[in-house]
Amino acid sequence: MQRLNKAVHVIFRVALLALVAMVSVPTPSEAATGTVRAVITRGGFIIGVGGGEGTLTFKGRLYPLRFGGISAGAIIGASQSELVGRAFNLRRASDIAGTYTAIGAGASFAGGAGAVRLQNSNGVILELSGQRVGFDISAGLSGMSVSLR
């Protein structure tokens, strides 16, 4: 009987320590997801420039956004994209601000669809997709800055 009481006591202590550890350590589940809408215009020859505006919907509130960016590499043409998607790993709305980078290549044609996956130094991942109007071909490293207005 004494062994059983000792075993129950040990199990209770281990379970209590595990519960305290789970409560005190931040987990990825504390991060939330927001919805992003953006209209971005870009164009250029060799070096591309782009910018636009949009909104972040996060925890029931709307936050106005400003997009700016530069693409280094081979870019030819001009296009406008209406993008929608999600921002992952947000703890607060201000986490969306920063410089985003992606490595890849893509092309868009008049009325074509496009998609992009970017990440900033806060760990926020933007997954955006939508329609592009215009024509551009790009390859190389792309960057984009996002700020709250």
Side-chain angles (χ1 to χ4, degrees), residues 21-59:
M22 287 189 318
V23 171
S24 63
V25 176
T27 64
S29 65
E30 292 175 1
T33 300
T35 303
V36 176
R37 294 187 175 277
V39 176
I40 298 173
T41 303
R42 72 181 220 163
F45 182 74
I46 305 301
I47 295 179
V49 181
E53 296 183 344
T55 58
L56 166 67
T57 305
F58 182 65
K59 294 186 177 180

Side-chain angles (χ1 to χ4, degrees), residues 35-41 51-56 65-67 80-85 126 128-131 144 146:
T35 303
V36 176
R37 294 187 175 277
V39 176
I40 298 173
T41 303
E53 296 183 344
T55 58
L56 166 67
L65 299 174
R66 175 164 288 137
F67 295 87
Q80 183 174 42
S81 300
E82 292 187 25
L83 303 172
V84 295
L126 290 180
L128 303 171
S129 63
Q131 295 295 311
M144 179 175 69
V146 177

Side-chain angles (χ1 to χ4, degrees), residues 13-144:
R13 290 181 99 184
V14 169
L16 183 61
L17 287 172
L19 181 62
V20 168
M22 287 189 318
V23 171
S24 63
V25 176
T27 64
S29 65
E30 292 175 1
T33 300
T35 303
V36 176
R37 294 187 175 277
V39 176
I40 298 173
T41 303
R42 72 181 220 163
F45 182 74
I46 305 301
I47 295 179
V49 181
E53 296 183 344
T55 58
L56 166 67
T57 305
F58 182 65
K59 294 186 177 180
R61 292 190 58 199
L62 287 175
Y63 299 89
L65 299 174
R66 175 164 288 137
F67 295 87
I70 187 165
S71 299
I75 181 170
I76 300 170
S79 67
Q80 183 174 42
S81 300
E82 292 187 25
L83 303 172
V84 295
R86 292 191 246 175
F88 297 96
N89 302 329
L90 292 169
R91 296 189 190 293
R92 57 190 167 275
S94 61
D95 288 346
I96 199 167
T99 301
Y100 288 79
T101 58
I103 297 175
S108 71
F109 300 93
V116 65
R117 182 179 168 107
L118 305 162
Q119 183 170 2
N120 74 5
S121 61
N122 296 326
V124 175
I125 296 171
L126 290 180
E127 288 184 351
L128 303 171
S129 63
Q131 295 295 311
R132 292 184 183 179
V133 177
F135 172 82
D136 71 36
I137 297 176
S138 63
L141 177 65
S142 295
M144 179 175 69

